[in-house]
Amino acid sequence: MPGSLRVGPHALPDPPASRTLAASGALGPQAILLENTGTADLDVTGLAVAGAGFAISGGTCLGPNFTVAQGTSCTVEVSFTAGATGPATGSVSFASSAPANDTSIDLAANGIQGALGVSPTSLDFSDVVVGDTPGPQGILLEDTGTA
């Protein structure tokens, strides 16, 4: 039997049915496990990422073309940088010498926006004698957005 490619997000032994990696906000890279479950070496002849904001950012699979020895595995790390608010989709695809040659993983992310909230909206120091310094008053700054 030739090399056999099994692909799973987050290094799971069996990929979930949706094969979707989700990201929201500033999350670090997410790992995809490529495992050769066949009886021969597996040549990966193409590795590509599609979709705005998605990029291959690391892992142990080196280069767009590489070999996964029989019984071993490697990882591809994918990151997302939001360029706008709202949903984004993409995919990572692999071409290999496995009998079921092409495999892809769907990618999903959501760009979210922060917002600044200030409370209170005004400060009143009332009457202050010339030369005196009244006690401090606090202002609360908080992120009221979705980021």
Side-chain angles (χ1 to χ4, degrees):
M1 177 171 145
S4 176
L5 179 64
R6 182 165 66 171
V7 178
H10 300 291
L12 295 174
D14 293 306
S18 67
R19 289 190 174 184
T20 298
L21 298 179
S24 205
L27 294 178
Q30 297 192 36
I32 299 171
L33 177 72
L34 300 178
E35 182 179 12
N36 182 354
T37 57
T39 58
D41 288 352
L42 177 72
D43 293 320
V44 175
T45 56
L47 170 62
V49 65
F54 294 101
I56 295 171
S57 57
T60 59
C61 301
L62 303 175
N65 301 308
F66 52 90
T67 299
V68 182
Q70 183 269 324
T72 66
S73 62
C74 64
T75 59
V76 172
E77 292 179 351
V78 179
S79 60
F80 175 73
T81 302
T85 58
T89 59
S91 64
V92 176
S93 53
F94 308 90
S96 73
S97 60
N101 185 327
D102 297 326
T103 301
S104 70
I105 298 259
D106 293 329
L107 304 172
N110 190 36
I112 54 180
Q113 182 67 47
L116 181 62
V118 179
S119 177
T121 57
S122 66
L123 296 176
D124 183 358
F125 287 92
S126 297
D127 295 332
V128 178
V129 175
V130 174
D132 281 353
T133 303
Q137 294 190 27
I139 299 173
L140 175 66
L141 301 176
E142 65 182 333
D143 182 354
T144 58
T146 57

